């Protein structure tokens, strides 16, 4: 489904991704692990089409279509979803209005009729239960005054609403307590499907206890240095990144966040 | 995806929607301003003697006044002798008595603007006074309003039919000496709306005036006077549009509101004068004095304005809070795009005890425009226990526009309480990326973010118009992304 070949990307002239190769098939869940500053978030942002990053070479295709030549919103409509690490607030715009506009943009793209407010409200209430969000959140401004955990649940709720082909989850576990982690993980597990690929970006192994990946890749200094199965993550946890000769410290200057 | 791109391009190209010209026979004065012109104007309107004297007194004083230059706007000097001070559609005999006698071309014009005046298509629950250049051409629902005791007519009619009320209140809130444009208006005011709501009456429907400038090289000098007698309530809304022309045109209005004991006036404006083209050519100079006198105790005046049009807006709807416990409110959205300039805000003058005021101002600047909030909150020596809350938020779109805030606070009373909050923000790249990542067009994303920013003000508008105002912002912002 997703094919990344020799992807190089930079921000402000500094190269962050230095030749990523990755193949993800429909139905698979891949985890990308790596220390801060390794390029994990940059990879997510580049796949979603953030203009702040410049792709200098390489190829990315989604079901054979060249993803890199498409605008952010076009990629989204063709099924690329990014759950943000730090979802931004949009004051005064209700969550419900935002989500409905989004769902209808996708439906419009597929040639389906738009959902009216009542239909959407019904759908949104059901999905909000799946991530244990009080329907009252639907009426609040987008992420406005939400706690970290509420923001993450709100992101997963949107993934469930939009049913993307490729869901990219950027550090979805960061800042969550155990209970919230469980809720979010349940939401992600509900997303797993034969025709869907999931790419999880995480610093820690603990998320993978809840969402068991098919493959684990370790990213360091803009390259995938090791790939393996579920056991790779466990080994990483036991032995630390140093095991692979990687320095695990926040190199903030090159961090994509 | 080509279709979507095309759609976006189409939207960006869409021009000012109300920019057409109505072809109609008119009576128009030659350009120029002198005492003869004023006498002719007064005669054509069949005004009583006192009115002409009032106008001439204002004119003589105006000649000695100076055009203000303190506002944060710039424009070439206006030649007041190159403007025509009267233009009206020709009519057979007297004023039209009923809508059937109104020129069908005029009815079509208003229909095109979304304001059907005809009996069977009238806007439900909204009475309309339609002002075309210098005259009111039709007023709907006059009879049912009269049954409730509400007078709703053009100011020209009021001068003839209710001279006592006019003499008592005209100029009582904004005297002709107030400022340059108010002085000019007093001398040459053409038409506008007069409303009187008697004691204890809650006006049974929304009242509105739709101002249309059509003729070239003319100035429009709106004069509106609303009086809410003891214990009454009225909600009034005005809308305005004009054709697209390369020359600037002047709209110098004076609006006076008077609220007696326990009376309430809600005054809303959706201003969409032609803003000029993307290079800043043409557009209306909207130099307006609007002021309310809360004379009575427990009276309340609420101004809500959505300003998206005009090349230049110079406007400060204000409240003089004289009555004890009187309340003044100002809710404003001012949007500037391309080369538009706005210097707008309010004055809350607290004179009485326990008076209170609220100011919520939302300024949005896009393109190369300049947007200033200017506000005065003043507490007189007898304003015991008075309080004000002010919130000024500015939103910038792009990096070539400007937002400025000029708050003035003067307090002569130690017990007065003032709170002031101000923020400046941008439509951030992160917000745009989030919206686009969810499949939303950039244009739609901006308009959604801006509408969210204005929510607190929009909720003050009458329902029917809140939707309209939201759409207006979408149209005004098209082409601001990219």
């Amino acid at each position: 489904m997703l094919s990344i070949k020799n992807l190089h990307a930079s921000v402000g002239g500094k190269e962050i991704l230095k030749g990523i190769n990755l193949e993800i098939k429909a139905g698979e869940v891949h985890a990308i692990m790596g220390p801060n500053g390794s390029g994990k978030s940059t990879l997510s942002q580049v796949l979603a089409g953030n203009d702040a990053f410049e792709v200098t070479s390489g190829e990315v295709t989604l079901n054979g279509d060249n993803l890199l030549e498409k605008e952010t919103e076009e990629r989204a409509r063709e099924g690329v979803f990014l759950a943000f690490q730090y979802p931004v607030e949009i004051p005064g715009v209700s969550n419900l209005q935002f989500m409905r506009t989004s769902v209808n943009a996708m439906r419009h793209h597929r040639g389906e009729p738009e959902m009216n407010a009542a239909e959407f409200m019904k759908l949104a209430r059901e999905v909000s239960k799946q991530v244990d969000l009080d329907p009252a959140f639907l009426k609040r401004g987008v992420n406005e005054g939400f706690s970290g955990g509420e923001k993450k649940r709100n992101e997963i709720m949107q993934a469930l609403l939009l049913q993307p082909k490729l869901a990219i989850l950027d550090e979805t576990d960061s800042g969550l307590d155990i209970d919230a982690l469980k809720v979010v993980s349940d939401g992600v597990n509900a997303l797993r499907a034969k025709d869907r690929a999931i790419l999880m970006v995480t610093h820690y192994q603990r998320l993978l206890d809840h969402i068991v990946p098919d493959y684990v890749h370790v990213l360091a200094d803009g390259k995938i240095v090791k790939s393996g199965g579920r056991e790779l993550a466990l080994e990483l946890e036991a032995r630390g990144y140093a095991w692979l000769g990687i320095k695990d410290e926040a190199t903030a200057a090159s961090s994509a966040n | 995806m080509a279709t979507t791109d095309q759609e976006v391009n189409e939207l960006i190209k869409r021009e000012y929607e109300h920019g057409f010209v109505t072809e109609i026979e008119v009576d128009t004065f030659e350009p120029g301003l002198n005492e003869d012109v004023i006498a002719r104007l007064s005669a054509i309107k069949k005004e009583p003697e006192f009115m002409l004297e009032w106008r001439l007194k204002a004119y003589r004083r105006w000649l000695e006044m100076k055009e203000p230059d303190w506002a944060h706007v710039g424009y070439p000097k206006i030649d007041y002798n190159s403007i025509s001070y009267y233009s009206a559609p020709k009519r057979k005999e007297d004023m039209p008595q009923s809508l059937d006698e109104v020129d069908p071309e005029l009815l079509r014009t208003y229909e095109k603007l979304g304001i059907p005046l005809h009996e069977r298509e009238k806007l439900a629950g909204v009475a309309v006074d339609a002002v075309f250049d210098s005259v009111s051409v039709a007023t709907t629902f006059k009879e049912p309003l009269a049954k409730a005791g509400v007078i709703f007519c053009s100011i020209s009619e009021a001068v003839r039919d209710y001279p006592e009320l006019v003499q008592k209140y005209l100029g009582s809130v904004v005297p002709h000496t107030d400022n340059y444009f108010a002085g000019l208006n007093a001398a040459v005011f053409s038409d506008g709306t007069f409303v009187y709501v008697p004691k204890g009456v809650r006006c049974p429907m929304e009242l509105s005036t739709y101002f249309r400038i059509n003729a070239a090289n003319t100035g429009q000098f709106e004069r509106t006077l609303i009086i809410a007698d003891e214990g009454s309530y009225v909600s009034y809304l005005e809308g305005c549009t004009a054709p697209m022309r390369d020359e600037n045109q002047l709209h110098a209005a004076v609006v006076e509101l008077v609220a007696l004991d326990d009376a309430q006036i809600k005054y809303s404006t959706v201003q969409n004068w032609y803003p000029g083209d993307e290079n800043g050519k043409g557009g209306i100079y909207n130099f307006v004095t609007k002021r309310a006198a809360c004379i009575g105790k427990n009276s309340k005046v609420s101004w809500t304005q959505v300003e998206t049009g005009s090349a230049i807006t110079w406007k400060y709807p204000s409240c003089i809070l004289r009555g004890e416990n009187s309340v003044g409110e100002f809710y404003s959205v001012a949007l500037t795009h391309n080369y538009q300039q706005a210097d707008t805000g309010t004055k809350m003058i607290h004179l009485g005890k326990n008076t209170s005021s609220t100011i919520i101002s939302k300024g949005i600047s896009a393109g190369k425009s300049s947007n200033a909030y200017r506000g005065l909150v003043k507490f007189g020596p007898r304003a015991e226990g008075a309080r004000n809350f002010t919130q000024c938020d500015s939103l910038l779109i792009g990096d070539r526009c400007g937002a400025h805030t000029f708050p003035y606070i003067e307090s002569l009373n130690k017990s007065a309480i003032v709170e002031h909050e101000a923020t400046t923000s941008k439509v951030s790249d992160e917000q745009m990326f989030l919206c686009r990542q969810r499949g939303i067009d950039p244009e739609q994303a901006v308009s959604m973010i801006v509408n969210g920013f204005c929510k607190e003000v929009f909720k003050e508008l009458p329902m029917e118009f809140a939707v309209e105002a939201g759409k207006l912002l979408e149209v005004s912002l098209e082409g601001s992304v990219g």
Side-chain angles (χ1 to χ4, degrees), chain A residues 213-227:
Chain A
D214 300 305
Y215 299 93
V216 175
H217 311 276
V218 179
L219 191 65
D221 193 25
K223 282 183 179 170
I224 290 176
V225 292
K226 195 165 179 65
S227 294

Side-chain angles (χ1 to χ4, degrees), chain A residues 87-91 137 140-148 150-151:
Chain A
V88 66
E89 296 187 2
I90 309 181
F137 276 87
R140 291 187 29 195
V142 176
N143 295 316
E144 208 180 346
F146 289 21
S147 71
E150 287 158 353
K151 284 182 181 172

Side-chain angles (χ1 to χ4, degrees), chain A residues 71 73 77 102 155 158, chain B residues 1 431 436-439 441:
Chain A
E71 295 289 343
E73 58 274 21
R77 290 172 200 155
S102 167
E155 291 293 290
Q158 289 169 54
Chain B
M1 296 315 295
Q431 287 172 331
R436 294 176 63 191
Q437 210 300 306
R438 296 300 186 256
D441 274 328

Side-chain angles (χ1 to χ4, degrees), chain A residues 81-139:
Chain A
F81 179 91
L82 170 63
F84 287 83
Q85 182 179 6
Y86 302 108
V88 66
E89 296 187 2
I90 309 181
V93 176
S94 82
N95 221 357
L96 194 69
Q97 185 201 352
F98 175 74
M99 290 181 188
R100 183 158 80 95
T101 306
S102 167
V103 164
N104 279 337
M106 308 296 185
R107 292 177 70 94
H108 182 78
H109 178 67
R110 294 192 297 260
E112 296 168 11
E114 296 199 345
M115 286 183 104
N116 67 32
E119 288 168 338
F120 184 74
M121 185 69 181
K122 203 172 155 228
L123 174 68
R125 278 173 173 278
E126 276 167 29
V127 177
S128 68
K129 279 184 216 149
Q130 264 181 284
V131 290
D132 198 25
L133 265 185
D134 190 314
F137 276 87
L138 298 172
K139 293 192 173 154

Side-chain angles (χ1 to χ4, degrees), chain B residues 95-102:
Chain B
M95 300 286 291
Q97 294 304 301
S98 75
L99 280 168
D100 299 336
E101 293 168 67
V102 177

Side-chain angles (χ1 to χ4, degrees), chain B residues 379-400:
Chain B
F379 298 96
R382 276 183 296 239
E384 287 295 321
R387 56 167 62 218
N388 163 266
F389 172 77
T390 299
Q391 185 187 330
C392 289
D393 298 325
S394 304
L395 185 69
L396 303 173
I397 300 170
D399 53 10
R400 290 171 301 170

Side-chain angles (χ1 to χ4, degrees), chain B residues 87-313:
Chain B
S87 180
K90 268 201 167 79
R91 51 183 159 225
K92 288 161 210 142
E93 282 296 309
D94 249 336
M95 300 286 291
Q97 294 304 301
S98 75
L99 280 168
D100 299 336
E101 293 168 67
V102 177
D103 189 322
E105 194 54 42
L106 285 174
L107 295 179
R108 271 197 290 279
T109 299
Y110 281 93
E111 217 168 278
K112 224 166 139 179
L113 296 169
I115 317 287
L117 300 171
H118 241 294
E119 200 60 39
R120 57 199 145 80
E121 294 147 357
K122 279 187 296 201
L123 298 172
V126 184
V128 181
D129 181 19
V131 175
F132 192 84
D133 289 326
S134 306
V135 292
S136 162
V137 293
T139 309
T140 63
F141 290 112
K142 272 172 105 163
E143 292 76 24
L145 285 167
K147 261 184 209 156
V150 175
I151 303 171
F152 176 57
C153 64
S154 72
I155 193 96
S156 302
E157 281 172 82
V159 167
R160 290 189 297 268
D161 299 346
Y162 310 100
E164 305 80 19
L165 281 172
V166 170
Q167 256 182 305
K168 183 169 177 189
Y169 290 110
L170 193 72
S172 71
V173 187
V174 181
H176 66 86
T177 51
D178 189 81
N179 68 72
Y180 190 78
F181 299 111
L184 177 64
N185 177 287
V188 300
F189 75 84
S190 35
D191 224 334
T193 303
F194 177 81
V195 177
Y196 173 77
V197 189
K199 272 184 198 172
V201 171
R202 190 180 168 90
C203 186
M205 57 178 77
E206 297 276 338
L207 304 183
S208 73
T209 309
Y210 196 92
F211 290 93
R212 175 73 177 169
I213 292 179
N214 187 61
N217 301 319
T218 57
Q220 189 178 53
F221 302 93
E222 163 201 357
R223 186 98 199 182
T224 288
L225 174 60
I226 299 176
I227 303 148
D229 212 327
E230 290 172 23
S232 68
Y233 169 87
V234 62
S235 169
Y236 171 92
L237 182 124
E238 63 170 354
C240 358
T241 58
M244 302 196 305
R245 290 212 174 84
D246 287 348
E247 300 78 34
N248 295 105
Q249 276 181 283
L250 179 62
H251 172 88
V254 171
V255 172
E256 297 175 282
L257 312 183
V258 180
L260 302 182
D261 286 357
D262 305 302
Q264 261 191 58
I265 303 175
K266 185 172 170 61
Y267 188 107
S268 315
T269 304
V270 176
Q271 186 265 103
N272 186 24
W273 293 119
Y274 177 52
D277 69 11
E278 66 273 27
N279 300 312
K281 197 163 194 193
I284 303 293
Y285 292 164
N286 190 36
F287 298 159
V288 170
T289 307
K290 293 187 172 184
R291 195 174 301 154
C294 289
I295 298 176
K297 60 175 170 35
N298 308 319
S299 58
K300 178 177 173 182
V301 167
S302 176
W303 298 99
T304 305
Q305 61 172 21
V306 177
E307 305 277 323
T308 61
S310 297
I312 303 177
T313 297

Side-chain angles (χ1 to χ4, degrees), chain A residues 22-94:
Chain A
L22 187 62
E23 295 284 333
I24 304 183
K25 295 197 182 71
E28 292 177 352
V29 176
H30 289 234
I32 299 226
M33 298 186 69
N36 288 337
S38 58
K40 301 189 303 284
S41 276
T42 299
L43 178 62
S44 322
Q45 300 275 325
V46 166
L47 291 176
N50 190 340
D51 300 339
F53 300 89
E54 194 195 349
V55 174
T56 47
S57 66
E59 199 182 283
V60 179
T61 58
L62 183 71
N63 293 325
D65 279 351
N66 183 350
L67 209 55
L68 296 177
E69 68 181 14
K70 292 180 202 290
E71 295 289 343
T72 303
E73 58 274 21
E74 294 170 336
R75 298 182 196 192
R77 290 172 200 155
E78 295 190 357
V80 176
F81 179 91
L82 170 63
F84 287 83
Q85 182 179 6
Y86 302 108
V88 66
E89 296 187 2
I90 309 181
V93 176
S94 82

